[in-house]
Amino acid sequence: MLRLRLTGLIILTAQVLVAAEPQEILLWPNGAPGSEGKTTEEVVEKTASGERNITGIHKPSLTPYLPEAGKSNGAAIVVAPGGGHSKLCVDHEGHNLARWLAEHGVAAFVLKYRLSREKDSTYTLDGHAVGDMQRAIRQVRHRAAEWKVDPGKVGALGFSAGGELAFLAAMQEGQGDPAATDDIEKHSGRPNFQCLIYPGKSNRISVAKDMPQAFIVCGYGDRKDISHGMAEVYLKFKEAGVPAELHIYSAAGHGFGVRDTNQGAASRWPARLEEWLADRVLKTPRAP
């Protein structure tokens, strides 16, 4: 009898844990444009430290992390992991931050986007990957009431290659199509703010006066196009009159992300993000 009770408890516990894990939401339930006929399964590999890398993505999705009831501050962030466009480092540059944000009142959504530099890939950065980011932003706005999100406070955050998706989406108008038969497409795909965490291709960033404001993080020891490049990007924001905040951590390089094992000042950059959100995003009136 005791063994049966213990077995039942183990099964129940496992069911509760599975039920508590956020479930992925396909950005296009009937198939993503450009992925027609691609039926191979995704590949999930673990590093020596147990972190997951994902390849073979043909069904872009969002995994929502929502604050507990009554704790939402109305802000939402779509989080794009890095991985050089050949893989997605979904833990230290995705789910770890999303959990942290939800615990601090921000609805977070981990984006699984298509990879343009994977071997034999037919996807493009500017077309498919950025399109996935825009679709994700539209999805969040479309379900804003359900997710207790202010549609006027939806941001894009990206690590490394994912940072490229964030700033490229911010550089485009991204207007919705009022005549679209898909209601999601009626919403804007441009973020209200952008968070660039050691992003690649900084030379592609141009700043107009109507650009979304920016929060920028990188390491002094990163490669030159990032450690120097993001300082130059900050000056572009300054010259255009677009508010921006820049943190360059002297003891950090590339790819530190969010890990329990991180140490030093760079390990506390999410707290600086929270402060910036309070200063620059949450003070604005809530959208009707």
Side-chain angles (χ1 to χ4, degrees):
M1 179 64 72
L2 178 59
R3 178 185 235 174
L4 288 174
R5 287 177 180 174
L6 286 173
T7 302
L9 179 61
I10 291 170
I11 293 173
L12 179 60
T13 301
Q15 289 173 338
V16 170
L17 287 173
V18 170
E21 293 178 357
Q23 298 298 305
E24 289 185 15
I25 299 168
L26 294 180
L27 294 182
W28 286 276
N30 297 321
S35 292
E36 295 84 358
K38 298 181 185 295
T39 59
T40 55
E41 296 294 324
E42 294 175 0
V43 177
V44 180
E45 296 181 338
K46 286 192 175 183
T47 66
S49 61
E51 294 175 340
R52 295 170 296 169
N53 293 330
I54 300 180
T55 56
I57 298 163
H58 304 303
K59 297 178 180 179
S61 67
L62 281 180
T63 300
Y65 288 83
L66 304 177
E68 293 180 5
K71 292 186 177 181
S72 172
N73 58 30
I77 297 179
V78 176
V79 179
H85 301 295
S86 61
K87 62 184 177 183
L88 289 190
C89 305
V90 295
D91 289 321
H92 78 287
E93 294 183 342
H95 296 280
N96 293 354
L97 176 63
R99 293 187 191 95
W100 190 95
L101 288 169
E103 290 169 0
H104 290 78
V106 179
F109 304 84
V110 179
L111 173 63
K112 187 189 292 180
Y113 58 91
R114 288 170 287 180
L115 302 168
S116 59
R117 295 186 65 186
E118 188 176 16
K119 187 177 184 296
D120 299 325
S121 175
T122 60
Y123 300 126
T124 65
L125 166 59
D126 292 76
H128 299 101
V130 175
D132 293 346
M133 170 60 83
Q134 292 175 315
R135 176 73 174 187
I137 293 168
R138 292 184 169 109
Q139 177 77 267
V140 173
R141 289 193 171 118
H142 182 65
R143 299 179 66 172
E146 173 189 350
W147 287 332
K148 306 297 188 296
V149 164
D150 184 336
K153 297 179 182 178
V154 179
L157 181 152
F159 295 86
S160 193
E164 298 169 33
L165 273 60
F167 71 66
L168 289 170
M171 287 167 56
Q172 300 181 29
E173 293 298 331
Q175 299 99 326
D177 179 4
T181 55
D182 181 347
D183 288 341
I184 295 173
E185 292 297 316
K186 295 179 180 180
H187 299 273
S188 170
R190 191 183 204 187
N192 299 108
F193 57 92
Q194 54 186 313
C195 306
L196 311 179
I197 316 302
Y198 45 82
K201 295 186 175 66
S202 61
N203 63 313
R204 291 196 63 185
I205 301 178
S206 61
V207 184
K209 62 181 181 180
D210 64 343
M211 279 267 288
Q213 58 188 327
F215 174 85
I216 305 168
V217 169
C218 64
Y220 175 86
D222 210 332
R223 62 181 192 256
K224 186 174 181 179
D225 67 302
I226 297 177
S227 58
H228 286 62
M230 296 318 296
E232 294 169 353
V233 165
Y234 169 81
L235 293 177
K236 291 181 182 180
F237 278 96
K238 181 68 174 176
E239 291 165 2
V242 178
E245 182 165 312
L246 170 63
H247 297 267
I248 301 179
Y249 289 100
S250 64
H254 190 76
F256 46 89
V258 177
R259 293 183 171 103
D260 291 339
T261 56
N262 283 354
Q263 297 180 351
S267 68
R268 297 187 289 276
W269 74 264
R272 307 292 78 78
L273 171 61
E274 183 181 26
E275 293 166 353
W276 179 80
L277 289 171
D279 284 346
R280 300 299 315 174
V281 177
L282 300 181
K283 287 184 178 179
T284 59
R286 189 176 179 90

